[in-house]
Structures are given as structure tokens and as C-alpha cells.
């Protein structure tokens, strides 16, 4: 168990809808990262937060947004969903040092129909 | 953009064989991480490397931080069926906070 909790595990929704994915980092970790993994693909970096502030941004679509709250949990909001957004979405957390390794949750599997 | 290339892309090996895979980039890295991912699960950290030339082991796994700081290597000795999965390298290119992931090496072990 990595200590990173993601909810829900599965999500099925229709095109055009909006969903929110939630992540609780490991105790003591200040950084949260979000990744998207499409079927049989690699992990695409979306965004990173550190202690509530956005620190790095990847190829995150404008329809997607995220935030990290004062209690350090994070939410990833996906709106105007398209079929191509179907994927596994992973959250990872890391410690204070900039090169602390990432520890991953078990992901949320999003299916857009 | 920044990219991590892993090779081989996939490999079939016999149980008991040793496995080698590598990860290369055009960018310099100060940290290299190796992960294993099982189907439908999150990647699990195997080894972390922080210095050029560093050699670190975790059981049957050994990883090395390349001298040029643009590559890393992972070896698995005496493979067993549970080594099946996808192995990813990852790290933040120098000067960034973005942890990017390699393209992955899919390992299949034949009993």
C-alpha cells in the first residue's frame, strides 16, 4: 500500500459531462502529481501542486483543471468529456525535496460513453 | 519536447534468465527512478538513483545512473514469472519539477 488514496476507482459517464477525481497524498507529502494513462500507453504528466500552489504543468487540456486544498488533498476536474478522455488517471505524491520519489495511488478508471 | 526512450519496447524471456533494459534522453537528469506497473494498478517504485555512476540494488534488481546523466539501466537477475509487467524509468529533467516517464518496457516471462 503506497499510502496514496484515489477515489472513485471506476467512473462511467457520458460525453459532455463533468467529473471530479479525488486524491489524498501520503501522510507528510506536500506534492501531488496527476498523470493520464490511455490504454497500453505511457504515463502523461498533467500537472503538479506543491503545498497548495501549482508548480509544474504538462500537456493538460483547457477542459481539465486541478487544485490542491489546505489539507493537501487534490482534485482533478474534467469537463465537456469526450470519448478520447477515457483513460486511467493516476495521482502520485512526494515529499519535501524536489527529487523525492513519487508514490502512486491505484488510479481512477474513467470510461466515457 | 522532453522524452525518455526505453528499450527494448517488449521482451519475452525464459524463467531464470537475466534481463537488461535501458532508458535514454537528450536531457540531463539529476534523479532517475524505476517503476514496475502491473495491469490496472499504479506504478510501484523499485529503485531511486541520485548520483551519476551510482549503482543500487533491490533484491534481484540492480539499476545504474549513467555517467553522462542522460541514461539509466535496469537489470533483473534470475527472472521469475511475477516479474511480468511494464517497467518505466522516470525523472525530472534538470531545471524542472516535471517528472516525465519513459515509454516503458513490457516484460513477459515464459515459465
Amino acid at each position: 500500500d503506497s499510502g496514496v488514496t484515489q477515489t472513485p476507482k471506476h467512473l462511467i459517464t457520458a460525453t459532455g459531462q463533468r467529473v471530479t477525481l479525488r486524491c489524498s497524498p501520503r501522510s507528510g507529502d506536500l506534492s501531488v502529481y496527476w498523470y493520464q494513462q490511455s490504454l497500453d500507453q505511457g504515463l502523461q504528466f498533467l500537472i503538479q501542486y506543491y503545498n497548495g500552489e501549482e508548480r509544474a504543468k504538462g500537456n493538460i487540456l483547457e477542459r481539465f483543471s486541478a487544485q490542491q486544498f489546505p489539507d493537501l488533498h487534490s482534485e482533478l476536474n474534467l469537463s465537456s468529456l469526450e470519448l478520447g478522455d477515457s483513460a486511467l488517471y493516476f495521482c502520485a505524491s512526494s515529499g519535501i525535496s524536489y527529487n523525492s520519489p513519487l508514490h502512486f495511488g491505484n488510479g481512477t478508471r474513467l470510461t466515457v460513453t | 519536447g522532453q522524452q525518455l526512450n526505453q528499450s527494448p519496447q517488449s521482451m519475452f524471456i525464459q524463467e531464470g534468465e537475466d534481463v537488461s533494459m535501458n532508458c535514454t534522453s537528450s536531457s540531463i537528469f539529476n534523479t532517475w527512478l524505476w517503476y514496475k506497473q502491473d495491469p490496472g494498478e499504479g506504478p510501484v517504485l523499485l529503485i531511486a538513483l541520485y548520483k551519476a555512476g551510482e549503482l543500487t540494488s533491490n533484491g534481484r534488481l540492480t539499476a545504474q545512473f549513467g555517467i553522462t546523466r542522460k541514461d539509466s539501466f535496469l537489470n533483473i537477475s534470475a527472472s521469475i514469472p511475477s516479474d511480468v509487467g511494464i517497467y518505466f524509468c522516470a525523472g525530472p529533467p534538470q531545471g524542472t519539477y516535471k517528472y516525465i516517464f519513459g515509454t516503458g518496457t513490457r516484460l513477459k516471462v515464459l515459465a
Side-chain angles (χ1 to χ4, degrees), chain A residues 35-112:
Chain A
Y35 288 84
Q36 179 192 55
Q37 187 175 39
S38 301
L39 189 64
D40 289 336
Q41 299 293 310
L43 290 133
Q44 299 301 316
F45 172 72
L46 296 178
I47 199 162
Q48 180 205 358
Y49 281 83
Y50 178 83
N51 203 21
E53 300 284 326
E54 182 184 306
R55 176 171 268 188
K57 211 166 187 175
N59 297 325
I60 186 167
L61 299 172
E62 284 192 14
R63 300 184 286 109
F64 296 1
S65 65
Q67 54 184 324
Q68 186 179 28
F69 295 86
D71 67 353
L72 301 177
H73 91 272
S74 178
E75 292 181 356
L76 179 67
N77 300 297
L78 315 176
S79 61
S80 302
L81 285 167
E82 302 175 359
L83 296 177
D85 297 327
S86 295
L88 269 167
Y89 290 85
F90 287 106
C91 167
S93 72
S94 69
I96 294 173
S97 174
Y98 85 97
N99 62 354
S100 294
L102 275 59
H103 297 271
F104 282 81
N106 276 330
T108 293
R109 182 176 293 281
L110 173 66
T111 302
V112 183

Side-chain angles (χ1 to χ4, degrees), chain A residues 35 37 45 99-102, chain B residues 31 35 37 42 50 97-99:
Chain A
Y35 288 84
Q37 187 175 39
F45 172 72
N99 62 354
S100 294
L102 275 59
Chain B
T31 299
Y35 289 86
Q37 186 179 28
Y50 298 105
Y97 293 107
K98 276 193 239 186
Y99 274 81

Side-chain angles (χ1 to χ4, degrees), chain B residues 19-98:
Chain B
V19 175
S20 292
M21 61 188 78
N22 65 59
C23 182
T24 60
S25 174
S26 57
S27 302
I28 289 175
F29 283 69
N30 292 326
T31 299
W32 284 101
L33 307 174
W34 284 93
Y35 289 86
K36 177 175 182 273
Q37 186 179 28
D38 292 326
E41 297 186 10
V44 174
L45 180 69
L46 299 174
I47 293 178
L49 302 160
Y50 298 105
K51 284 169 55 174
E54 180 182 353
L55 192 69
T56 297
S57 293
N58 177 7
R60 293 178 297 106
L61 278 61
T62 302
Q64 184 162 25
F65 195 136
I67 295 290
T68 66
R69 293 165 65 195
K70 293 183 178 181
D71 55 10
S72 181
F73 310 89
L74 178 69
N75 295 309
I76 304 173
S77 62
S79 57
I80 59 178
S82 62
D83 290 335
V84 165
I86 305 177
Y87 292 80
F88 290 104
C89 60
Q94 188 179 46
T96 79
Y97 293 107
K98 276 193 239 186

Side-chain angles (χ1 to χ4, degrees), chain B residues 98-110:
Chain B
K98 276 193 239 186
Y99 274 81
I100 61 173
F101 277 70
T103 48
T105 292
R106 189 181 296 271
L107 181 64
K108 301 187 183 182
V109 180
L110 305 172

Side-chain angles (χ1 to χ4, degrees), chain A residues 15-47:
Chain A
T15 54
Q17 295 298 305
R18 182 179 193 274
V19 297
T20 297
L21 282 53
R22 183 188 167 101
C23 170
S24 293
R26 291 189 321 162
S27 177
D29 283 356
L30 299 181
S31 276
V32 169
Y33 305 73
W34 287 97
Y35 288 84
Q36 179 192 55
Q37 187 175 39
S38 301
L39 189 64
D40 289 336
Q41 299 293 310
L43 290 133
Q44 299 301 316
F45 172 72
L46 296 178
I47 199 162

